[in-house]
């Protein structure tokens, strides 16, 4: 006959045994905990903050049958729901041509402070890079795009520069280093540039963020095609409401300054595009009025002759 008390005792958890096993293994648990805490602190120190920038865009109402632009240009009237029109405006805002133009205006050179992970110092670099566009062809197979060039200050008059990597299309490897004076032209294959030191009095953020005598800096010449595709993937544009004239655009990255400038420039490019369309519409309207005046004058002259 089965004893029910024995079955119950077997099913009970032996908490005392578990506690004893934990006591015997506490050194391993303590070491593991210390390692994970150290890794977390190192991660926080090494990895720069991740930001999200957002902006709101207000669009126009779709054109109706009595819209003056429709009457003088003969453009087709929007006969679909307003949500269709607003969705199109949202798509236009994040198209590659507009993003490409905004990337150019934001700046094609990225400055950073060297570390375990390079941290971009947008608008706070102790030097600026000036390219000789008359010398360079900017071909992707012979221009060192998306490659880090490291810069060390020897003093406030000279510096050491070093960089290595592969060309984007040819996959050919390259390496370059040298010592130069600030303002002196540097020639490396198809690349020709000079570094211009920045006045730390006019821009105190430079010395607040970095120690010029100890920190290592650098710059990247960014590839327009690569940057455009990456930003197009990261861009998120959402309608505030299904039939709202307002939508929001957001993008995330490691440089708050670059993200905010990019969204501002993208908004300006979007508005410029809309203004170009309005200007084209106005030109059509003036041409229409001119033709109507000429036709009416001709008819009046014929009537007078008759």
């Amino acid at each position: 006959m089965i004893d029910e008390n024995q079955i119950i005792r077997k099913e009970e958890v032996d908490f005392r045994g578990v506690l004893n096993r934990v006591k015997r293994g506490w050194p391993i648990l303590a070491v593991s905990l210390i390692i994970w805490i150290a890794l977390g602190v190192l991660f926080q120190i090494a990895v720069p903050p991740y930001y999200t920038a957002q902006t709101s865009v207000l669009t126009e109402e779709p054109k109706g049958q009595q819209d003056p632009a429709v009457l003088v240009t003969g453009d087709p009237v929007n006969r679909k729901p307003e949500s269709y029109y607003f969705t199109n405006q949202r798509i236009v805002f994040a198209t590659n041509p507009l993003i490409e133009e905004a990337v150019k205006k934001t700046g094609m050179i990225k400055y950073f402070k060297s570390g375990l992970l390079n941290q971009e110092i947008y608008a706070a670099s102790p030097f600026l890079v000036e390219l000789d566009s008359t010398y360079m062809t900017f071909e992707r197979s012979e221009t060192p795009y998306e490659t880090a060039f490291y810069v060390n200050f020897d003093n406030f008059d000279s510096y050491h520069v070093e960089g290595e990597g592969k060309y984007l299309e040819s996959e050919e490897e390259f390496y370059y280093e040298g010592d130069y004076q600030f303002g002196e032209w540097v020639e490396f294959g198809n690349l020709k540039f000079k570094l211009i030191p920045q006045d730390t009095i006019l821009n105190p953020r430079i010395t607040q963020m970095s120690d010029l005598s100890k920190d290592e800096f650098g710059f990247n010449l960014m590839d327009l095609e690569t940057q455009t595709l990456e930003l197009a993937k990261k861009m998120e544009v959402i309608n505030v409401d299904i039939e709202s004239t307002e939508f929001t655009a957001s993008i995330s990255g490691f440089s708050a300054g670059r993200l905010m400038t990019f969204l501002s420039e993208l908004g300006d490019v979007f508005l410029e595009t809309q203004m170009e369309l309005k200007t084209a519409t106005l030109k059509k309207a003036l041409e229409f009025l001119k033709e109507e005046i000429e036709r009416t004058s001709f008819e009046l002259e014929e009537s007078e002759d008759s």
Side-chain angles (χ1 to χ4, degrees):
M1 185 175 179
I2 300 174
D3 189 350
E4 294 182 359
N5 293 329
Q6 291 181 357
I7 294 175
I8 293 173
R9 283 197 297 271
K10 288 181 180 179
E11 291 180 350
E12 289 178 350
V13 178
D14 188 2
F15 289 102
R16 183 175 296 177
V18 172
L19 184 60
N20 290 333
R21 284 194 291 271
V22 171
K23 286 181 178 179
R24 287 195 297 270
W26 75 265
I28 298 176
L29 293 176
V31 171
S32 300
L33 182 61
I34 292 172
I35 291 174
W36 281 110
I37 292 175
L39 288 175
V41 172
L42 183 62
F43 181 82
Q44 289 291 331
I45 295 174
V47 177
Y50 198 69
Y51 302 96
T52 297
Q54 180 175 298
T55 187
S56 297
V57 182
L58 189 66
T59 60
E60 292 182 319
E61 295 282 352
K63 297 175 183 177
Q65 183 66 51
Q66 300 303 317
D67 191 282
V70 174
L71 296 175
V72 300
T73 63
D75 290 339
V77 180
N78 177 53
R79 299 186 182 278
K80 296 186 178 181
E82 290 187 348
S83 59
Y84 177 85
Y85 172 81
F86 296 132
T87 299
N88 279 352
Q89 292 298 301
R90 175 177 62 82
I91 293 173
V92 168
F93 187 83
T95 52
N96 282 17
L98 269 63
I99 291 177
E100 181 178 298
E101 191 62 31
V103 169
K104 284 193 236 179
K105 292 187 175 184
T106 304
M108 295 306 301
I109 296 177
K110 180 172 71 174
Y111 303 93
F112 61 84
K113 184 169 70 172
S114 177
L116 186 60
L117 291 176
N118 294 336
Q119 182 177 358
E120 183 173 2
I121 44 177
Y122 190 79
S125 173
F127 60 84
L128 293 180
V129 177
E130 180 181 332
L131 300 175
D132 186 353
S133 58
T134 60
Y135 175 88
M136 299 173 61
T137 62
F138 296 96
E139 293 292 335
R140 301 179 84 222
S141 59
E142 54 186 11
T143 303
Y145 288 117
E146 304 298 334
T147 299
F149 282 85
Y150 294 91
V151 176
N152 288 284
F153 283 69
D154 295 332
N155 49 55
F156 291 102
D157 296 320
S158 62
Y159 63 92
H160 179 82
V161 60
E162 181 179 356
E164 65 177 322
K166 291 183 179 180
Y167 295 112
L168 290 182
E169 292 184 351
S170 65
E171 293 292 327
E172 181 183 349
E173 295 183 356
F174 64 84
Y175 175 80
Y176 183 80
E177 69 173 327
D179 295 285
Y180 297 92
Q181 299 287 323
F182 281 105
E184 179 183 359
W185 285 106
V186 180
E187 293 185 20
F188 164 51
N190 182 42
L191 180 65
K192 185 176 181 180
F193 66 92
K194 63 181 176 181
L195 301 189
I196 303 172
Q198 294 301 288
D199 192 340
T200 57
I201 296 178
L202 295 178
N203 190 350
R205 288 187 62 216
I206 296 174
T207 51
Q208 289 173 0
M209 296 179 62
S210 310
D211 187 340
L212 303 185
S213 60
K214 295 180 181 179
D215 291 333
E216 182 180 48
F217 303 92
F219 65 92
N220 277 16
L221 178 58
M222 297 189 294
D223 175 56
L224 182 59
E225 181 179 336
T226 301
Q227 294 298 318
T228 300
L229 293 176
E230 286 185 0
L231 290 173
K233 291 179 182 177
K234 293 179 180 178
M235 178 76 64
E236 185 176 10
V237 184
I238 302 174
N239 285 344
V240 174
D241 187 66
I242 192 170
E243 293 185 356
S244 174
T245 60
E246 181 184 357
F247 62 82
T248 61
S250 61
I251 190 168
S252 300
F254 292 105
S255 174
R258 177 174 290 277
L259 294 175
M260 290 188 293
T261 303
F262 168 74
L263 282 182
S264 176
E265 294 292 352
L266 183 59
D268 290 343
V269 172
F270 179 74
L271 292 176
E272 288 171 6
T273 304
Q274 299 300 313
M275 289 303 297
E276 288 176 1
L277 292 174
K278 288 183 177 294
T279 302
T281 300
L282 180 59
K283 288 181 179 179
K284 287 184 179 181
L286 293 174
E287 291 174 0
F288 172 81
L289 291 174
K290 182 179 179 181
E291 291 174 358
E292 287 296 303
I293 292 173
E294 291 177 352
R295 183 178 61 81
T296 303
S297 299
F298 179 74
E299 290 176 354
L300 287 174
E301 289 177 359
E302 284 192 333
S303 297
E304 290 177 357
D305 294 340
S306 299

